[in-house]
């Protein structure tokens, strides 16, 4: 039977409620008209169909399984705060409420993590399902649940699933979400019950998009087809430790104790192991073709919480109370992820009416729909934030394979195999065989072309004979069962730094930078299951799987990992930069840090406030989060202004840069022109010299047939077109490319600065300034085509736009569904490697690729004065008032009040729903 519902007595809508009601009715009428326009597609939806899935937020609902009543109080943005008297009731209610708002999103996520998207969307998702089945996320999640997680965590996961299923009971798909009604056009799909493993598996999707340097491994190997070791080294420069400070500055590894020690007095200096990451493996020629095929597969994998590993970043920092207005710490966080609708984050509070052994939680913040607990936020005692550490926890291996198995130390070993059956909506099921080596699943089995290439590709003399071919396997920490779900609950109830560090030790995958604050202290710790490798192997390039010397040798122990607690400088900044200077640490964590542009800008903003004798406020932290300053513009603009330009139209554009403060506001014409110049510098100097596997799909060049080393100037030419998705192509324009250009600035005659004559009268370039001049010309005419000849009408926001798309039917559905489910565009400020990191890929265009997916500032002096914002809204229902009601404020850099105490929550409450046993 469905849950019993009763309306609350004595409730009358206020004035604002009546206005919202009228607005909702207008939206529904517009929606019905849009739907009627889709009758040709084969369906008619009524007003009741549209409204059927809207959640009940007032009155009461009886839920079987609760031990006592639970209050769900929602504010004017639909953000829920849940009050219960036992842990199980709290998490059961969390499951029920999240399912009310976001079950379709939850359902899609679990089908993705388990490789079952074809069951919902048909044969177009079979290739994705094959790849995800090969990774086996759901199998690992089940192993975690069965063997690794604590009894209390299992109990909470079971309670959460019970709440989700209480919501689903008795409901048809169209009563759950509009998307199910749309799916009813083509199949009879029915949502199934939620399981605890469904929640755990989502952590694997999160880990996949935060997996570290796997993409860099692929790119470096692909570059070897066209570039030499010195050229590749130019494009992957060393981290600038002297200019952009590492996270941990007041500590180092102590070789006598084998631990990382706070302070600067460790007993001996550490030495680094590994290489600089610019070499090539003994089978590089085979890898070039193998990895090109693998990239095609990776491009098609559905985006979970990021852009398939590229561009993933975040900002989080904490300032000690000695430098704040309140006298207590302030903590800020804004994770940078791909823009999705609804947002990947779900805001809520989980409150025990009385904190005790029976009910242990009083926590609020951001979590994922489909997962119990709070991932980022604060409780009554502490606050924490996260940024991606970028630590290298994945390695690709080239495997020597045959019909009998794979080669390892001179002997053939049999594959570990399993058969998987993929069900397909509207079609026949498909069976696949997943093969694994001792390094991991054989990813190359998922692409027929890779198999052919593996049989034909040549290898260097030191590699084994080709035989039946080569394949590619993946070693990744997330494919081992772990304890990250335990860590979430442990952090949610931590009372102090000691508790928090103990909780962080359970956070195995993905490795994250964790910042911490309580009312008097600040801290940082790096958790994670991080592998150690043999000396000389730094994990920067794919390794020979047939040689045991390249196997992982173990794990860095928790007490060896870097941390800081109350550093003398009074603040800690993490923004994906290097964790610790290599001369203070013996392990190679990665060769592919972010290059510290954002982190150093944040550091400079904090330090300048301190140097001026000021105290930092919550709003100061907010303003830092939306800082739009372009660091690469500060380097290049003085050079660009010195270049003599003959063409009056180009000179007119050049003058936009005179007096520009390097701020990338949405209404800035100078920002539009500069970013176009930057994009064209990258294309001319580097992009056109990269192999086709890294360049944008559909962008073609005429190259010399003899060696294909770049644009051709001989009679014998071939047309070579790029192969990569625009959001994944290179050069992407991030701060690695800032560092590349910075290092080449003084070498004015470098070969990188050369380019042949372009279309029409576009001049060739033989040195830096000639290439800059050409880029300024190309940028002028590119923007003329995009924005018009009148530069007074130009603005960065017209180029740099955000579209929010429903991640299933909003991208692949019929046109009228996309219109109904998607929102935008919004004109954005900010840019690549800017603190306000509205990222764009310079190889592909100016559109927004990733964003600060949420922003928060926690005030440890008065938690009720903390602030937060989400990218979209609480609801996943397309015509709910809370679908994108936070987006306009997010675009403006505004934050919402974040109530925590019961009194503050009561004052901000608009709707109350009582869940009764």
């Amino acid at each position: 039977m469905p849950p019993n519902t009763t309306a609350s007595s004595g409730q009358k809508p206020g004035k604002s409620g009546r206005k919202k009601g009228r607005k909702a009715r207008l939206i529904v009428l517009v929606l019905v008209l849009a739907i009627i326009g889709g009758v040709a597609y084969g369906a008619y939806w009524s007003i009741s169909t549209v409204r059927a899935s809207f959640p009940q937020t007032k009155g009461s609902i009886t839920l079987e399984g609760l031990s006592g009543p639970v209050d769900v109080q929602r504010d004017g943005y639909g953000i829920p705060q849940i009050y219960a008297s036992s842990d199980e009731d709290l998490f059961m209610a969390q499951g029920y409420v999240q399912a009310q708002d976001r079950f379709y999103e939850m359902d899609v996520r679990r089908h993705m993590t388990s490789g079952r998207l074809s069951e919902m969307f048909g044969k177009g998702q079979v290739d994705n399902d094959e790849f995800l089945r090969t990774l086996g996320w759901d199998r690992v999640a089940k192993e975690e649940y069965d063997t690794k997680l604590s009894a209390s965590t299992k109990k909470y996961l079971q309670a959460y699933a019970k709440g989700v299923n209480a919501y689903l009971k008795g409901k048809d798909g169209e009563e759950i979400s509009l998307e199910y009604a749309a799916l009813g056009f083509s199949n009879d799909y029915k949502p199934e019950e939620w399981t605890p493993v469904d929640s755990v598996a989502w952590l694997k999707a999160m880990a996949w998009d935060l997996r570290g340097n796997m993409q860099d491994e692929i790119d470096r190997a692909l570059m070897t087809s066209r570039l030499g070791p010195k050229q590749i080294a130019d494009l992957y420069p060393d981290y600038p430790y002297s200019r952009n400070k590492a996270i941990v500055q007041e500590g180092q590894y102590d070789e006598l104790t084998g631990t990382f020690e706070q302070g600067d007095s460790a007993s001996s200096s550490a030495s680094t192991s590994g290489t600089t990451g610019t070499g090539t493996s003994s089978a590089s020629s085979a890898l070039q073709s193998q990895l090109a095929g693998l990239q095609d597969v990776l491009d098609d994998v559905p985006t979970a919480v990021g852009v398939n590993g590229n561009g993933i970043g975040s900002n989080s920092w904490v300032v000690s109370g000695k430098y704040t207005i309140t006298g207590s710490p302030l903590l800020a966080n804004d994770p940078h992820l791909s823009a999705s609708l609804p947002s990947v984050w779900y805001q809520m509070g989980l409150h025990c009416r009385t904190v005790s052994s029976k009910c242990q939680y009083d926590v609020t913040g951001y979590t994922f729909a489909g997962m119990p607990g709070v991932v980022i936020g604060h409780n009554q005692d502490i606050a924490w934030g996260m940024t991606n550490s970028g630590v290298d926890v994945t390695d690709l291996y080239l495997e020597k394979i045959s019909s009998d198995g794979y080669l390892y130390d001179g002997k053939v070993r049999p594959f570990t195999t399993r058969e998987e059956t993929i069900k397909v909506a509207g079609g026949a099921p498909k069976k696949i065989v997943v093969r694994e080596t001792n390094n991991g699943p054989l990813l190359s089995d998922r692409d027929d072309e890779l198999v052919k290439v593996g049989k034909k590709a040549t290898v260097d003399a030191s590699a084994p004979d080709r035989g039946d071919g080569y394949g590619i396997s993946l070693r990744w920490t997330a494919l081992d069962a772990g304890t990250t779900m335990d860590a979430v609950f442990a952090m949610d109830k931590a009372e102090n730094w000691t508790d928090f560090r103990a909780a962080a030790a359970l956070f195995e995958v993905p490795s994250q930078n964790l910042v911490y604050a309580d009312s008097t202290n600040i801290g940082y710790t790096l958790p994670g299951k991080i592998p150690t490798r043999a000396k000389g192997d730094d994990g920067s390039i794919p390794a020979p799987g047939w040689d045991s010397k390249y196997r992982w040798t173990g794990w860095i122990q928790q007490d060896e990992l870097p941390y800081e607690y109350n550093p003398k400088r009074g603040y800690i900044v993490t923004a994906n930069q290097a964790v610790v200077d290599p001369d203070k640490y013996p392990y190679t964590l990665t060769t592919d840090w972010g290059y510290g542009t954002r982190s150093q800008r944040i550091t400079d903003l904090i330090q300048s406030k301190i140097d001026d004798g000021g105290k930092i406020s919550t709003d100061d932290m907010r303003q830092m989060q939306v800082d739009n300053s372009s660091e690469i513009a500060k380097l290049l603009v003085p050079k660009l202004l010195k270049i003599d330009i003959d063409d009056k139209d180009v000179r007119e554009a050049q003058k936009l840069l005179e007096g520009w403060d390097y701020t990338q506001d949405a209404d800035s014409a100078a920002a539009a022109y500069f970013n176009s110049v930057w994009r064209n510098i990258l294309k001319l100097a580097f992009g056109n010299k990269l192999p086709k596997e890294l360049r944008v799909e559909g962008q073609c060049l005429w190259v010399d047939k003899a060696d294909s080393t770049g644009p051709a100037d001989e009679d014998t030419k071939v047309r070579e077109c790029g192969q990569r998705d625009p959001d994944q192509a290179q050069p992407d324009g991030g701060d690695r490319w800032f560092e590349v250009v910075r290092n080449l600035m003084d070498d004015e005659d470098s070969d990188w600065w050369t380019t042949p004559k372009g279309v029409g009268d576009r001049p060739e370039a033989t040195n830096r300034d000639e290439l800059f001049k050409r880029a300024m010309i190309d940028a002028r005419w590119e923007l003329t085509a995009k924005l018009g000849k009148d530069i007074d009408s130009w603005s960065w926001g017209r180029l740099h736009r955000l579209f929010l798309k429903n991640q299933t039917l909003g991208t692949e559905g019929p046109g009228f569904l996309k219109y109904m489910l998607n929102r935008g565009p919004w004109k954005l400020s900010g840019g690549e490697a800017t603190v306000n990191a509205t990222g764009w890929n310079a190889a592909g265009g100016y559109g927004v690729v990733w964003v600060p997916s949420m922003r928060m500032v926690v005030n440890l002096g008065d938690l009720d004065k903390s602030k937060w914002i989400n990218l979209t809204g609480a609801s996943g229902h397309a015509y709910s008032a809370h679908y994108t009601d936070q987006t306009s404020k997010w675009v403006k850099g505004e934050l919402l009040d974040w109530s925590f105490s019961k009194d503050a929550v009561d004052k901000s409450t608009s709707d109350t729903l009582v869940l009764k046993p």
Side-chain angles (χ1 to χ4, degrees), residues 252-261 266 559-561:
Q252 69 180 50
Y253 188 84
D254 189 323
E255 292 184 347
L256 293 180
T257 63
T259 60
F260 195 91
E261 301 293 339
D559 57 3
E560 296 180 293
L561 290 169

Side-chain angles (χ1 to χ4, degrees), residues 64-290:
E64 183 179 348
L66 288 175
S67 64
V70 177
D71 296 330
V72 182
Q73 299 179 225
R74 293 180 183 258
D75 66 11
Y77 288 88
I79 299 169
Q81 304 283 340
I82 299 175
Y83 291 86
S85 298
S86 74
D87 290 338
E88 290 90 333
D89 284 356
L90 190 65
F91 294 117
M92 181 177 176
Q94 183 182 18
Y96 185 89
V97 170
Q98 285 194 343
Q100 280 188 304
D101 285 335
R102 301 275 193 98
F103 182 76
Y104 175 74
E105 174 193 2
M106 294 162 57
D107 200 15
V108 171
R109 285 180 176 178
R110 68 165 163 181
H111 278 80
M112 181 189 71
T113 57
S114 58
R116 295 169 53 210
L117 287 170
S118 301
E119 294 178 19
M120 298 184 75
F121 304 111
K123 63 181 180 180
Q125 295 298 322
V126 169
D127 288 346
N128 288 331
D129 284 346
E130 288 185 16
F131 184 76
L132 293 166
R133 293 285 184 99
T134 299
L135 289 175
W137 291 346
D138 62 327
R139 295 175 65 256
V140 181
K142 187 177 188 308
E143 183 183 352
E144 285 186 4
Y145 182 79
D146 290 342
T147 66
K148 288 286 187 176
L149 299 181
S150 68
S152 61
T153 293
K154 290 182 181 180
K155 181 172 61 176
Y156 300 155
L157 288 164
Q158 292 163 2
Y160 180 90
K162 187 188 298 184
V164 175
N165 293 329
Y167 169 76
L168 294 177
K169 191 173 183 180
K171 289 184 173 66
D172 293 328
E174 66 180 23
E175 296 177 272
I176 298 171
S177 182
L178 183 64
E179 288 90 339
Y180 289 120
L183 287 172
F185 289 166
S186 57
N187 63 59
D188 57 356
Y189 173 81
K190 300 291 184 185
E192 61 191 38
E193 286 198 341
W194 193 262
T195 73
V197 174
D198 292 333
S199 295
V200 178
W202 178 240
L203 290 171
K204 301 304 174 185
M206 180 177 72
W208 175 254
D209 279 316
L210 302 174
R211 63 191 179 273
N213 74 336
M214 179 174 159
Q215 191 64 59
D216 289 311
E217 284 189 50
I218 292 172
D219 288 356
R220 274 190 289 263
L222 291 173
M223 285 179 183
T224 60
S225 68
R226 178 160 293 178
L227 304 176
K230 172 62 169 63
Q231 291 171 307
I232 295 174
D234 286 345
L235 302 186
Y236 286 89
D238 293 336
Y239 184 90
Y241 288 96
S242 61
R243 186 175 68 253
N244 295 342
K245 301 299 183 184
I247 297 171
V248 174
Q249 299 173 37
E250 299 178 16
Q252 69 180 50
Y253 188 84
D254 189 323
E255 292 184 347
L256 293 180
T257 63
T259 60
F260 195 91
E261 301 293 339
Q262 178 77 39
D264 295 311
S265 57
S267 61
S268 64
S269 295
S271 60
T272 59
S273 64
T275 62
T276 60
T278 58
T280 58
S281 79
S282 63
S284 60
S285 55
L287 280 166
Q288 292 159 12
S289 298
Q290 287 273 11

Side-chain angles (χ1 to χ4, degrees), residues 400-413:
K400 170 64 186 69
I401 62 176
S402 68
S403 57
D404 298 323
Y406 62 96
L407 189 68
Y408 185 72
D409 279 351
K411 296 180 180 180
V412 175
R413 293 189 176 187

Side-chain angles (χ1 to χ4, degrees), residues 224-422:
T224 60
S225 68
R226 178 160 293 178
L227 304 176
K230 172 62 169 63
Q231 291 171 307
I232 295 174
D234 286 345
L235 302 186
Y236 286 89
D238 293 336
Y239 184 90
Y241 288 96
S242 61
R243 186 175 68 253
N244 295 342
K245 301 299 183 184
I247 297 171
V248 174
Q249 299 173 37
E250 299 178 16
Q252 69 180 50
Y253 188 84
D254 189 323
E255 292 184 347
L256 293 180
T257 63
T259 60
F260 195 91
E261 301 293 339
Q262 178 77 39
D264 295 311
S265 57
S267 61
S268 64
S269 295
S271 60
T272 59
S273 64
T275 62
T276 60
T278 58
T280 58
S281 79
S282 63
S284 60
S285 55
L287 280 166
Q288 292 159 12
S289 298
Q290 287 273 11
L291 294 175
L294 175 59
Q295 182 61 42
D296 291 339
V297 178
L298 294 178
D299 279 348
D300 290 334
V301 175
T303 298
V305 294
V307 193
N308 289 335
N310 276 348
I312 299 302
S314 298
N315 303 320
S316 191
W317 67 94
V318 60
V319 180
S320 169
K322 67 181 177 180
Y323 294 128
T324 69
I325 288 176
T326 65
S328 295
L330 294 170
L331 184 150
N333 196 188
D334 56 284
H336 307 154
L337 304 170
S338 65
S340 61
L341 183 60
S343 167
V344 69
W345 297 109
Y346 186 91
Q347 297 155 286
M348 70 188 319
L350 302 171
H351 308 280
C352 291
R353 292 190 177 96
T354 301
V355 176
S356 65
S357 59
K358 180 182 178 183
C359 197
Q360 304 172 73
Y361 296 90
D362 189 13
V363 62
T364 181
Y366 298 83
T367 188
F368 302 123
M371 203 177 90
V374 167
V375 176
I376 295 174
H378 72 82
N379 61 27
Q380 69 273 34
D381 297 309
I382 72 165
W384 67 97
M386 297 185 188
T387 64
N388 193 28
S389 71
V391 168
D392 186 1
V393 294
T394 61
D395 276 346
L396 293 171
Y397 286 90
L398 186 68
E399 303 282 4
K400 170 64 186 69
I401 62 176
S402 68
S403 57
D404 298 323
Y406 62 96
L407 189 68
Y408 185 72
D409 279 351
K411 296 180 180 180
V412 175
R413 293 189 176 187
F415 293 108
T416 300
T417 62
R418 66 179 187 273
E419 187 175 85
E420 300 271 357
T421 300
I422 299 171

Side-chain angles (χ1 to χ4, degrees), residues 245-251 262-264 317-323 515 522-524 563-574 577-579 584 599-600 603 606-607 610-611 616:
K245 301 299 183 184
I247 297 171
V248 174
Q249 299 173 37
E250 299 178 16
Q262 178 77 39
D264 295 311
W317 67 94
V318 60
V319 180
S320 169
K322 67 181 177 180
Y323 294 128
V515 294
I522 65 173
Y524 161 85
Y563 75 96
E564 267 191 342
Y565 187 61
N566 291 328
K568 296 174 184 177
R569 64 187 179 279
Y571 56 86
I572 302 169
V573 176
T574 79
Q577 79 271 38
V579 169
K584 296 181 178 181
S599 62
Q600 196 57 44
T603 296
I606 294 170
Q607 192 62 52
I610 293 172
D611 291 343
I616 296 172

